Amino acid sequence: MNRVIVHSDINHCYAQLEEMRHPALRRVPMAVGGSAEKRHGIILAKNDLAKAAGVVTGESLNEARRKCPDLLIVRPDYEVYMDCTEQIKAVYRRYTDRVESFGLDEAWFDLTGTRRLNGDPVALANRIQKEVYQRFGIRVSMGISWNKVFAKLGSDLDKNMGFTVITPENYRRLVWPLPLEKLIMIGRRTQIKLNAMGLFTIGDLALTDGVAVARRLGKNGTMLWRYARGFDASPVLRSGYEEMPKSVGNSKTLVHDVTTLEQLHQVCRILCESTAARLRAGRLRGRVVSLALRGTDLRWKGSRQLRLPQPTDLAADLYSAVQVLIARQQLQHISLRSVGVQVTDLVADCGFDQPGLFSDPDSRQRQRSLEKAVSEIRSRYGSDKCRMASLETDPELTDFDPLGRLHQVHPVGFLRGPSRG
C-alpha cells in the first residue's frame, strides 16, 4: 500500500468508559441513555450483557426495558468521556502528527511516514491497539487501508477489538460483498435510490456504470462510485487542523410541546443567543439565518431563511431575522417538538462593522458590548445567570443550555471541517 491509514473506533464507547470508571457495571446489563423526562430518552451505548438481551443503540429507553427489565440506565457524563477519549487519541499523536477526529469515539491516523522510525506500519497499528487496552482497559477496533473510506469500513467489520487490513489485493473479496449501507455517506434515502437501480452491494455499485449513478444521484453518485472502487485520496488532517465550518447553529428537542407563539419566541431567543455566542467564539459572522420547526408528528415543517444586509454575530440581529421568519410561516395551530436556528454564508470576523446606509454604528457597538458582557457572565457563573425576564414565564420550557458540552459530541462531517454547531 502506498499509504497506511488507520481508523480507530472505541467499541460501545460510553458504556466502556462507564465500565472503566465503575468495574461493577461489567456484571450487570447496563446502557448509557438520555433523560426520558426531557425527551432525550434513547440508548446511546450498551455493554455486552445488554447487547445479548437485544438492546439496540438508538431505541427508546422504554423499548430497551421491555427487552431487558433488569437494564441499568446510566446518565451520560460527556465531560469525562471527552477527557478519556482525548487521552486515547494522545497515544496516537505520539506516533504521528496526522490524527483526525471523527466524533468523540472515532479517529483516523496516518502511519505512512513512520516506517523508518517504527518499522512496519501495520504492525505498529497493532501495537498501538494493544497499548490502548493495556493502559486504559478500553477495546478499540481498527481498520487499516490505503484510504480513509476503506479504513473506516474495516473498523466496522469486527466490533470486538477487531483488526482488519484491507489492501488493493483483498478489497474485492472483503468489501464488495458487503451491503451498500456499510459504505460511508450512504444513508437510508441513498440506499433506496441505489436499490431501485438494482444495486444492493458495494460490489454492485463498483461494477455498474458510473455515469448512470451520476445521473441518478448527481455528483454524490460519482463520489460514491469512486469510493466503492477504492478511489479516495483525501488526506488525514493534522492534529488541531480546523476548517471554517459551513454553518453555526443550535437545535433543541423541548421538554414539552410548544403550542403558542409566545413559547416559540422564547425558545428562539435562547437559540439565537447561543448561536451568536458560538459565532463570536469562532471569530465568525454570518449573513443567512434559517429557522427549522419540527412538529409533534416528527415531521419538519420546512426550513425558511432570510438574508441579512451585512454579516453579523449579534443575537439581536439573529432574533430579529427569526421573528420575520416566524411571521412568514403564518402558523395557525402550533404543536412543535423541536426548534432549530442556523446561520450560514459565514465569513471571518474582521473586527469591525461595515456601516449600512441606515445603520447606527454606535448602537451596534453598544449592543455588541452588552452581548459580550452577558456571555462572559454566563461563562463564568452559569447559563442560568443574566436571563431575559420574559423567559421566566415558562421556566420549565426555557431551562436549557444550548452551549452545553452535550451539543459538541456529535460526529463531524466526513466531507466538511469540524462542525461548531
Side-chain angles (χ1 to χ4, degrees):
M1 296 187 291
N2 60 339
R3 294 196 300 166
V4 179
I5 309 298
V6 183
H7 182 269
S8 70
D9 185 355
I10 302 175
N11 310 142
H12 312 306
C13 177
Y14 301 165
Q16 266 210 88
L17 295 177
E18 289 295 344
E19 289 179 338
M20 180 184 70
R21 299 169 68 197
H22 310 289
L25 294 177
R26 296 190 177 101
R27 298 190 292 271
V28 298
M30 179 272 295
V32 179
S35 166
E37 295 77 16
K38 295 190 176 182
R39 303 207 291 191
H40 299 295
I42 64 170
I43 299 297
L44 301 174
K46 73 282 184 190
N47 69 3
D48 291 335
L49 293 176
K51 181 181 178 181
V55 176
V56 178
T57 300
E59 69 182 348
S60 70
L61 301 187
N62 290 334
E63 291 173 325
R65 287 195 173 104
R66 280 196 292 270
K67 297 177 181 177
C68 182
D70 297 329
L71 183 67
L72 175 64
I73 302 295
V74 177
R75 293 292 299 277
D77 189 337
Y78 294 102
E79 296 282 350
V80 171
Y81 300 163
M82 280 184 275
D83 180 64
C84 291
T85 55
E86 276 303 305
Q87 290 185 51
I88 292 173
K89 291 171 187 176
V91 175
Y92 309 155
R93 297 186 187 106
R94 286 173 42 209
Y95 298 95
T96 175
D97 63 339
R98 291 190 175 272
V99 179
E100 179 182 348
S101 293
F102 190 60
L104 192 68
D105 55 342
E106 300 181 43
W108 284 283
F109 53 99
D110 188 341
L111 297 181
T112 305
T114 63
R115 183 181 299 274
R116 182 171 297 179
L117 187 62
N118 294 295
D120 177 30
V122 175
L124 173 61
N126 191 245
R127 294 202 302 271
I128 293 173
Q129 182 188 48
K130 294 176 180 177
E131 180 180 345
V132 169
Y133 184 72
Q134 291 167 356
R135 288 187 57 184
F136 303 102
I138 296 296
R139 300 187 304 276
V140 176
S141 293
M142 288 189 174
I144 298 89
S145 190
W146 75 94
N147 64 72
K148 292 166 70 175
V149 171
F150 283 178
K152 174 166 172 52
L153 191 149
S155 69
D156 291 335
L157 291 182
D158 185 355
K159 287 294 187 180
N160 188 21
M161 202 170 172
F163 190 85
T164 304
V165 182
I166 299 176
T167 68
E169 291 74 34
N170 69 10
Y171 78 94
R172 294 176 180 84
R173 174 173 55 85
L174 293 179
V175 174
W176 282 7
L178 298 174
L180 284 169
E181 60 268 26
K182 292 292 186 180
L183 193 65
I184 193 170
M185 302 297 294
I186 294 186
R188 180 61 181 163
R189 291 184 179 181
T190 301
Q191 178 189 348
I192 291 173
K193 293 178 181 178
L194 292 172
N195 289 166
M197 298 176 63
L199 309 177
F200 297 92
T201 68
I202 297 175
D204 292 340
L205 175 59
L207 295 174
T208 196
D209 181 5
V211 175
V213 179
R215 279 199 300 265
R216 180 75 175 180
L217 300 178
K219 62 181 181 181
N220 283 341
T222 300
M223 176 191 69
L224 294 173
W225 179 78
R226 290 178 59 82
Y227 285 174
R229 298 171 69 89
F231 298 140
D232 168 38
S234 58
V236 177
L237 302 179
R238 293 186 186 278
S239 299
Y241 178 84
E242 190 170 339
E243 292 182 8
M244 180 182 289
K246 302 294 184 183
S247 65
V248 174
N250 274 119
S251 62
K252 179 66 178 177
T253 298
L254 304 163
V255 68
H256 68 70
D257 296 340
V258 166
T259 57
T260 68
L261 281 175
E262 180 184 8
Q263 292 175 332
L264 178 57
H265 280 282
Q266 290 174 354
V267 172
C268 287
R269 183 182 290 277
I270 297 175
L271 295 176
C272 288
E273 289 179 349
S274 64
T275 299
R278 287 187 185 280
L279 288 168
R280 289 192 293 270
R283 299 189 60 80
L284 298 168
R285 299 188 186 187
R287 190 186 293 272
V288 177
V289 181
S290 302
L291 173 68
L293 306 176
R294 192 181 193 186
T296 52
D297 58 0
L298 302 184
R299 295 183 178 180
W300 291 102
K301 304 302 181 183
S303 178
R304 302 293 181 94
Q305 61 182 31
L306 179 67
R307 189 171 185 83
L308 303 177
Q310 66 185 88
T312 187
D313 59 0
L314 296 179
D317 292 341
L318 303 184
Y319 184 57
S320 295
V322 166
Q323 287 178 301
V324 173
L325 293 172
I326 292 174
R328 288 182 181 177
Q329 291 276 35
Q330 297 181 343
L331 299 170
Q332 302 298 326
H333 303 287
I334 302 177
S335 183
L336 301 174
R337 181 181 176 88
S338 60
V339 180
V341 172
Q342 187 178 65
V343 180
T344 54
D345 196 3
L346 304 179
V347 296
D349 183 2
C350 59
F352 64 90
D353 284 310
Q354 179 67 38
L357 182 61
F358 303 104
S359 66
D360 180 352
D362 292 336
S363 175
R364 290 185 64 80
Q365 186 56 45
R366 288 194 296 272
Q367 182 66 32
R368 188 177 304 283
S369 298
L370 172 63
E371 292 190 16
K372 182 179 179 182
V374 170
S375 293
E376 290 176 351
I377 291 172
R378 291 173 178 168
S379 176
R380 185 170 182 178
Y381 298 107
S383 63
D384 59 335
K385 304 300 185 289
C386 203
R387 286 162 53 91
M388 290 281 184
S390 61
L391 301 181
E392 298 304 316
T393 59
D394 190 347
E396 183 184 23
L397 177 68
T398 58
D399 183 22
F400 65 91
D401 176 17
L403 289 177
R405 302 295 289 271
L406 169 63
H407 295 267
Q408 301 176 26
V409 300
H410 52 78
V412 298
F414 176 62
L415 297 180
R416 297 189 295 272
S419 168
R420 304 193 189 192

